[in-house]
């Protein structure tokens, strides 16, 4: 499964610029045996998701996001002793079905952020794969690099359609060497991603 969820200006040709793509993992990288299994019961899917922003909208969106983060989590940020730009709360701690039903304001904020991405002529992106069930021999790095390569190819097709280049920003990862090699192969291989301006940052 893969999709780009368009903002309002998907088909409007902008002046030449670079898209910045921010990607993070969703699901779980390990094996999956079922929800009721004693172990390997985390998630039947794994993938990458994030947002695509035109370069001139990166700073305005970052400022907006910082303000949206500071208000509901003000107490936790103060208690952490960190500056708000460095403080992080995992989305899995509150972006789940039950908490989202319970905490209406959190749901509103997520919807506002998604709306803001569209207003910035940005887009939401995800690519995921369903894992084989009841397999203990799942190769996590293989799964990650496969998803990563497919995500890059879809982003390349999107950027090529608009006639723009893109760069990818990802979290630090224990398999960063493998991911970097995967990105380089995807950039320069038999079917190169020509709109990918550089290996991931």
């Amino acid at each position: 499964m893969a999709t780009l969820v368009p903002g309002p200006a998907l088909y409007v040709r902008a002046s030449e610029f670079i898209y910045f793509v921010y990607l993070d993992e969703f699901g779980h990288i390990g094996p999956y045996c079922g929800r009721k299994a004693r172990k390997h019961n985390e998630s039947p899917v794994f993938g990458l998701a994030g947002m695509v922003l035109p370069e001139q909208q990166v700073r305005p969106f970052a400022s907006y996001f910082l303000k949206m983060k500071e208000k509901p989590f003000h107490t936790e940020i103060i208690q952490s002793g960190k500056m708000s730009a460095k403080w992080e709360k995992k989305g899995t701690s509150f972006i789940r079905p039950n908490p989202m039903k319970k905490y209406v304001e959190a749901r509103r904020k997520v919807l506002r952020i998604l709306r803001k991405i569209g207003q910035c002529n940005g887009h939401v992106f995800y690519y995921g794969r369903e894992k084989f069930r009841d397999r203990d021999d799942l190769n996590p790095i293989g799964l990650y690099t496969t998803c990563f390569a497919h995500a890059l190819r879809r982003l390349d097709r999107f950027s090529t359609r608009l006639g723009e280049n893109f760069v990818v920003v990802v979290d630090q990862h224990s398999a960063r060497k493998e991911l970097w090699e995967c990105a380089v192969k995807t950039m320069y291989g038999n079917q190169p991603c020509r709109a990918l301006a550089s290996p991931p940052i």
Side-chain angles (χ1 to χ4, degrees), residues 4 15 26 39 41 45 60 65-66 70 73 82 87 94 120-122 151 154 156 165 169-170 175 180 192 196:
L4 272 160
S15 59
F26 68 84
K39 61 179 186 174
N41 56 15
V45 298
F65 185 83
L66 188 60
E70 284 174 339
F73 303 117
K82 295 180 180 178
W87 181 85
F94 66 98
C120 290
N121 291 331
R154 280 157 176 75
D156 184 69
N165 291 331
V169 181
V170 293
W180 189 84
L196 180 56

Side-chain angles (χ1 to χ4, degrees), residues 23 48 125 127 129 141-157 166 178-179 181-187 191 193 196 200:
L23 292 180
L48 296 160
F125 171 84
Y127 173 81
R129 292 176 85 102
I141 294 174
L143 176 60
Y144 201 121
T145 53
T146 299
C147 287
F148 195 47
H150 280 278
L152 292 178
R153 292 201 183 285
R154 280 157 176 75
L155 288 162
D156 184 69
R157 285 200 290 271
F166 71 103
E178 290 87 349
L179 293 176
E181 287 174 353
C182 171
V184 170
K185 287 176 185 173
T186 308
M187 281 181 72
Q191 296 175 313
C193 288
L196 180 56

Side-chain angles (χ1 to χ4, degrees), residues 68 71-72 94 99-112:
M68 290 288 284
K71 193 171 181 182
F94 66 98
M100 290 299 276
K101 286 178 190 172
K102 186 176 178 182
Y103 301 109
V104 178
E105 189 55 33
R107 187 168 68 246
R108 285 184 186 144
K109 285 199 180 296
V110 170
L111 292 173
R112 277 186 212 139

Side-chain angles (χ1 to χ4, degrees), residues 1 21-30 42-43 45-51 88-93 95-96 125-129 131 140-141 143-148 151 168-176 179:
M1 58 184 169
V21 180
Y22 299 89
L23 292 180
D24 203 357
E25 306 163 23
F26 68 84
H28 187 265
I29 197 71
E42 287 286 330
S43 174
V45 298
F46 175 78
L48 296 160
M51 60 184 169
E88 181 182 347
K89 188 175 185 77
K90 291 290 184 187
T92 52
S93 65
I95 304 179
R96 286 180 174 268
F125 171 84
Y126 68 87
Y127 173 81
R129 292 176 85 102
K131 294 180 278 190
I141 294 174
L143 176 60
Y144 201 121
T145 53
T146 299
C147 287
F148 195 47
V168 176
V169 181
V170 293
D171 269 353
Q172 285 280 12
H173 194 277
S174 58
R176 66 179 176 269
L179 293 176

